[in-house]
Amino acid sequence: LKAARAVELATQVVAIELLAAAQAVDLLAPLRTSDALAQVHAAVRARVPRLDRHRPPAPDIATLCEAITNGAIEGACPLQLA
């Protein structure tokens, strides 16, 4: 039970990091990120819109947690880490 809870919390942390990173990429335009990260950014933005007004982050975090859990985010990255 403790391990499952730790994985759940770690997934939430990664989802929050993805939200922050995607927002940073958006705000730094016209600068561009790498092609691999651009694909991950696109996968995030396909599920969660850019933050352009105040809104509760919980629904966005939950959406990205699901995308992490089902492998959609990992699948969006063309790089294979060993």
Side-chain angles (χ1 to χ4, degrees), residues 55-72:
R55 67 175 186 268
D60 295 347
I61 294 168
T63 297
L64 288 181
C65 283
E66 179 62 29
I68 292 165
T69 302
N70 71 23

Side-chain angles (χ1 to χ4, degrees), residues 40-71:
V40 174
H41 178 265
V44 169
R45 286 295 175 237
R47 291 161 176 80
V48 175
R50 177 181 171 162
L51 184 63
D52 54 8
R53 60 179 169 70
H54 180 72
R55 67 175 186 268
D60 295 347
I61 294 168
T63 297
L64 288 181
C65 283
E66 179 62 29
I68 292 165
T69 302
N70 71 23

Side-chain angles (χ1 to χ4, degrees), residues 2 9-11 14 16 19 23-24 28-30 33 36 49 53 58 69-70:
K2 287 183 182 181
L9 292 173
T11 302
V14 172
I16 292 165
L19 280 174
Q23 190 70 15
L28 290 173
T33 188
R53 60 179 169 70
T69 302
N70 71 23

Side-chain angles (χ1 to χ4, degrees), residues 26-40:
D26 293 337
L27 293 175
L28 290 173
L31 297 177
R32 293 180 34 98
T33 188
S34 69
D35 290 339
L37 290 180
Q39 291 181 45
V40 174

